Amino acid sequence: MAIDLDILLQRNLVIMVWSGIVNDDQSAEALQTYATHPDARIGQDILSDMSGVETGYFDLPKRLALQASLDRVLGLGDKNRTIVYFAPTPQSQELADQYAALWDCTPSVTAHVTANEAEALALLKITAGSIAEVLDRNE
């Protein structure tokens, strides 16, 4: 699996583009890369494009431990964050639903799962026509 990470400071947005087979180790590596990135900020919104996910494996205890270790950037603080999982296939949607559920007990995070790219962008108040366009414009 590959996870490409782009931080768009001017949009206060992180875009993660996932592809292949998702497992907990690779997901953890991507989140740790983000959490330690010099442009990571508390309250940045996250758009996870999971349209390229073929299948995935989710280990709840492992994921909870990881998430707790990254709360400095991912969940805590007084700034709200929106996380949108664009998951247009049954395989990606099942995995995204599990990830989104982890945020239910974090009041500063609102997580959404959608199979519609336009809706994913709208939830983040982005007017671009596609995720690729947002990345191309990088504005």
Side-chain angles (χ1 to χ4, degrees), residues 34-70:
Y34 168 58
T36 58
H37 194 284
D39 290 338
R41 306 283 187 270
I42 292 173
Q44 284 173 324
D45 293 331
I46 298 175
L47 173 56
S48 285
D49 177 353
M50 300 179 81
S51 60
V53 171
E54 296 169 20
T55 190
Y57 305 96
F58 186 86
D59 181 321
L60 181 59
K62 188 182 235 183
R63 181 61 190 221
L64 287 173
L66 168 67
Q67 198 155 323
S69 73
L70 299 177

Side-chain angles (χ1 to χ4, degrees), residues 18 24 27 31 57-68 71 74-75 83 85 94-113:
W18 305 55
D24 292 312
S27 177
L31 290 173
Y57 305 96
F58 186 86
D59 181 321
L60 181 59
K62 188 182 235 183
R63 181 61 190 221
L64 287 173
L66 168 67
Q67 198 155 323
D71 268 345
L74 294 177
I83 300 175
Y85 298 93
E94 181 180 341
L95 193 61
D97 286 340
Q98 293 172 339
Y99 284 141
L102 292 171
W103 297 109
D104 288 347
C105 61
T106 306
S108 62
V109 175
T110 304
H112 304 273
V113 177

Side-chain angles (χ1 to χ4, degrees), residues 74-88:
L74 294 177
L76 295 181
D78 59 353
K79 295 183 180 180
N80 292 332
R81 172 191 302 263
T82 299
I83 300 175
V84 176
Y85 298 93
F86 168 51

